[in-house]
């Protein structure tokens, strides 16, 4: 995906939303616990497997709100994930994040932060909950994704915290590499496998 | 191929109307519709992008005429919508410009029009609603920019806004 520059105002608005989240968590020390973020935002999260149609279909068919199945055709979700090669998705009307556990473990955290960012940007929610007869253009889709990527970076690196930490360390590759352990939450070794929807 | 109302097209039709009685606005709605149809781009593999690009002149005109009708300067509308004045200017003046998603959301809020309609007009989304396509093209053709709106421009604007607000 090519790099798409954001307008300064848009980047600031995204950063403002990230700041609200971090403030809500009491401006935590690194590493940021995404479970805490999801708890604050009342987001549910499930893992699915993109290589296991049966398991994915089971997740889709068990998505329920207040006991009612929310997807009339769960197979559509399976098709969408496979056709669009989705690595994660956010279902705004259910405040639910679905993550592909077949992705490399190192990417889980990023994918989760990306979907969380979609959930905290009001205009993303407006676009995602819009008329289903509309199709976003590739340009619009790329911009939405670029905005979510920007927000994910600001969230995971605690806005300017990484920059400040890097500037406070000696200017060597070793010193900066050492920051990785400070900022990275240990990923789940054994993700909860396909919990049923609540 | 993009839809363009070019000076050459206008000159050709003005020459064809030489000697005829003139009124402001549409001389012959049926002929207008036929001309619009003739200018419509032929379906191509990139139909979705072409279809959405058809509407962006209408989006810019809508924003501009609405702003003038309500008495907003560019700066005042930018402040009201929490947007960059420079981007608003691009929306109004550059028919190729595709605004950011947030910008369209903000304008939908200020103009009090359905977001999905503005998404289509702005080139951020597409649908197969041919009636919408016709209305947008008709409006873009009728709208012309002036410092103040004349009666017909006001009418065109209000009719189009009414149509957009009746989102089905």
């Amino acid at each position: 995906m090519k790099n798409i520059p954001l307008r300064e105002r848009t980047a600031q608005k995204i950063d403002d939303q990230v700041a609200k989240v971090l403030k809500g968590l009491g401006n935590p020390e690194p590493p940021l616990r995404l479970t805490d973020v999801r708890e604050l935002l009342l987001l549910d999260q499930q893992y699915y497997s993109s290589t296991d149609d049966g398991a994915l279909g089971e997740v889709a068919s068990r998505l329920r709100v207040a006991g009612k199945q929310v997807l009339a055709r769960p197979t559509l979700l399976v098709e969408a994930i496979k056709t669009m090669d989705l690595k994660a998705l956010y279902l705004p009307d259910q405040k639910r994040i679905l993550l592909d556990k077949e992705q490399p473990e190192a990417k889980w955290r990023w994918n989760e932060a990306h979907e969380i960012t979609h959930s905290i940007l009001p205009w993303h929610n407006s676009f995602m909950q819009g008329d289903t007869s509309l199709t976003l253009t590739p340009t619009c889709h790329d911009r939405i994704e670029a905005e979510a990527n920007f927000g994910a970076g600001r969230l995971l690196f605690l806005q300017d915290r990484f920059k400040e930490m890097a500037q406070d360390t000696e200017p060597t590759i070793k010193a900066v590499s050492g920051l990785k352990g400070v900022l990275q939450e240990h990923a789940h070794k054994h993700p909860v496998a396909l919990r049923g929807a609540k | 191929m993009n839809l363009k109302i070019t000076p050459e097209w206008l000159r050709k039709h003005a020459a064809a109307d030489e000697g005829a009685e003139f009124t402001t606005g549409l001389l012959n709605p049926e002929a207008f519709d036929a001309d619009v149809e003739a200018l419509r781009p032929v379906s191509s593999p990139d139909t979705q992008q072409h279809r959405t690009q058809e509407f962006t002149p209408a989006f810019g005109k809508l924003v501009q005429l609405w702003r003038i009708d309500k008495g907003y300067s560019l700066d005042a509308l930018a402040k009201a919508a929490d947007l960059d004045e420079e981007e608003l200017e691009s929306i109004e003046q550059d028919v190729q410009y595709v605004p950011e998603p947030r910008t369209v959301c903000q304008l939908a809020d200020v103009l009090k029009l359905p977001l999905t309609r503005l998404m289509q007009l702005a080139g951020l989304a597409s649908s197969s609603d041919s009636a919408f396509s016709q209305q947008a093209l008709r409006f873009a053709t009728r709208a012309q920019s002036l410092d103040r709106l004349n009666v017909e421009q006001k009418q065109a604007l209000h009719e189009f806004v009414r149509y957009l607000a009746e989102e089905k």
Side-chain angles (χ1 to χ4, degrees), chain A residues 27-191:
Chain A
N27 293 316
E29 291 297 307
L32 179 69
R33 284 169 46 87
L34 292 181
T35 47
D36 292 344
V37 175
R38 284 191 284 106
E39 209 170 285
L40 177 74
L41 300 173
L42 302 177
L43 292 173
D44 184 38
Q45 176 172 293
Q46 283 180 263
Y47 288 93
Y48 63 88
S49 169
S50 57
T51 59
D52 184 345
D53 282 5
L56 178 54
E58 191 187 330
V59 169
S61 67
R62 288 161 71 185
L63 290 174
R64 281 176 162 76
V65 172
K68 290 179 67 173
Q69 186 167 317
V70 295
L71 292 177
R73 285 181 52 196
T75 50
L76 279 179
L77 181 61
V78 177
E79 287 166 28
I81 286 171
K82 294 190 93 64
T83 304
M84 297 167 68
D85 191 25
L86 296 177
K87 300 164 180 53
L89 60 158
Y90 171 56
L91 306 178
D93 47 349
Q94 299 159 47
K95 299 201 71 174
R96 193 189 307 264
I97 294 172
L98 299 181
L99 297 177
D100 180 6
K101 70 180 177 68
E102 302 305 330
Q103 289 294 302
E105 203 171 296
K107 291 196 173 181
W108 291 349
R109 189 166 163 76
W110 177 265
N111 290 344
E112 187 175 349
H114 176 102
E115 300 306 324
I116 286 172
T117 303
H118 277 312
S119 78
I120 64 173
L121 299 182
W123 63 96
H124 283 210
N125 279 285
S126 297
F127 271 60
M128 288 174 173
Q129 289 176 323
D131 186 345
T132 51
S133 69
L134 289 187
T135 305
L136 296 187
T137 62
T139 301
C140 180
H141 180 259
D142 286 350
R143 283 187 174 168
I144 296 272
E145 292 298 284
E147 289 172 0
N149 283 339
F150 173 76
R154 296 298 283 168
L155 191 62
L156 289 175
F157 289 90
L158 300 170
Q159 295 188 292
D160 293 324
R161 180 67 74 92
F162 173 74
K163 189 170 100 174
E164 290 163 4
M165 290 166 69
Q167 287 172 343
D168 284 347
T169 56
E170 57 178 324
T172 63
I173 296 292
K174 186 180 174 185
V176 175
S177 296
L179 293 175
K180 176 187 167 189
V182 176
L183 287 159
Q184 182 180 21
E185 187 183 23
H186 290 293
H188 297 294
K189 294 293 182 187
H190 301 286

Side-chain angles (χ1 to χ4, degrees), chain A residues 7 9-10 13 135 137 143, chain B residues 82 84 98 100 124 126:
Chain A
R7 295 188 79 83
R9 184 182 291 263
T10 302
K13 295 299 176 188
T135 305
T137 62
R143 283 187 174 168
Chain B
D82 192 11
D84 293 331
V98 179
E100 292 202 336
L124 297 181
S126 64

Side-chain angles (χ1 to χ4, degrees), chain B residues 5-43:
Chain B
I5 307 294
T6 62
E8 288 71 31
W9 183 87
L10 290 170
R11 270 194 280 275
K12 179 186 112 186
H13 284 268
D17 288 326
E18 194 172 341
E21 283 186 15
F22 283 93
T23 62
T24 56
L26 301 176
L27 293 173
N28 181 342
E30 284 168 0
F32 171 79
D33 285 344
D35 285 340
V36 165
E37 207 49 49
L39 286 168
R40 188 179 299 284
V42 176
S43 283

